Amino acid sequence: DVYKRQTYLMTNRKPRVNKTEKNIGKWFEQNIVAPAFKLLARRQNMYYHRYLDMHAAGSHVPAAPADFECLLRGLPILVECKASIKNLSLVNCLADMVEDHQCGSHRLWMAARGVSMFLFYSDQTRLVEFWSGMDVITARAHGRPLAPADKFGICKAEELGAYFNTRMSVLKGS
């Protein structure tokens, strides 16, 4: 089974001992999200593109609109990944983690009828939260916290691919 392989790869990976609050986001993108999307691309006719991180590229590259851009069975999805070692939920760190240019990119994406999604990984719980981009940018713009009830979904890190496929299919209605 496709998802059993992903679970095996993720649960049998050697833990990285040097995770810090500064590099956990990159670790989340490289070790959890990218492998899940790669698997979906192979099995579910999904296209994805991972944007170059402007900090890794230096000041020569403009800010990317998000971490990933996906097309899953005709549904365009802009995905921003956030992660933390110390915070259990995006509810606890919204103002610190989401930047103005990210809100602007997601707002434009949604105006063009795309789906905006924020994924948050807590290293303490090993859970991935799914948040609607509209909820995230609205809460941030009004200076209010995210409501835990607004969470679009939650899954174990090793189940990200299957869960993403299911949740996005619900949005598309397929």
Side-chain angles (χ1 to χ4, degrees):
D1 180 53
V2 175
Y3 302 110
K4 282 182 184 174
R5 175 153 170 72
Q6 178 189 3
T7 300
Y8 173 80
L9 289 174
M10 294 186 67
T11 55
N12 292 303
R13 229 176 259 258
K14 290 184 180 176
R16 186 167 168 200
V17 290
N18 293 335
K19 285 187 215 168
T20 65
E21 196 64 26
K22 184 173 176 130
N23 70 12
I24 187 71
K26 186 66 55 205
W27 181 89
F28 174 50
E29 291 173 32
Q30 291 175 343
N31 295 292
I32 295 178
V33 181
F37 285 0
K38 184 176 182 178
L39 196 60
L40 281 173
R42 262 192 261 139
R43 306 288 186 185
Q44 299 294 325
N45 296 324
M46 179 177 118
Y47 164 83
Y48 76 97
H49 172 77
R50 183 173 179 196
Y51 284 101
L52 184 62
D53 185 350
M54 74 174 196
H55 298 294
S59 60
H60 305 291
V61 176
D67 294 314
F68 292 90
E69 179 179 309
C70 307
L71 187 62
L72 180 62
R73 291 187 295 284
L75 183 66
I77 310 162
L78 194 62
V79 179
E80 181 63 36
C81 300
K82 299 295 177 187
S84 179
I85 289 175
K86 62 183 179 182
N87 293 295
L88 298 176
S89 174
L90 188 58
V91 170
N92 308 111
C93 53
L94 174 65
D96 298 332
M97 290 202 144
V98 180
E99 299 175 23
D100 290 339
H101 77 89
Q102 293 167 337
C103 289
S105 295
H106 281 262
R107 191 174 283 113
L108 289 170
W109 186 266
M110 289 183 294
R113 303 229 187 251
V115 172
S116 166
M117 189 65 49
F118 281 73
L119 302 180
F120 177 82
Y121 171 76
S122 170
D123 198 50
Q124 291 184 41
T125 63
R126 288 199 41 85
L127 295 175
V128 179
E129 299 174 340
F130 284 63
W131 293 91
S132 159
M134 180 60 77
D135 290 335
V136 170
I137 63 175
T138 300
R140 190 173 180 283
H142 293 90
R144 66 172 175 80
L146 284 166
D150 289 340
K151 196 179 307 172
F152 186 66
I154 191 165
C155 70
K156 293 178 184 174
E158 59 270 12
E159 297 169 355
L160 177 64
Y163 193 81
F164 185 85
N165 183 34
T166 302
R167 296 305 288 182
M168 296 305 109
S169 295
V170 167
L171 285 178
K172 181 157 173 70
S174 57

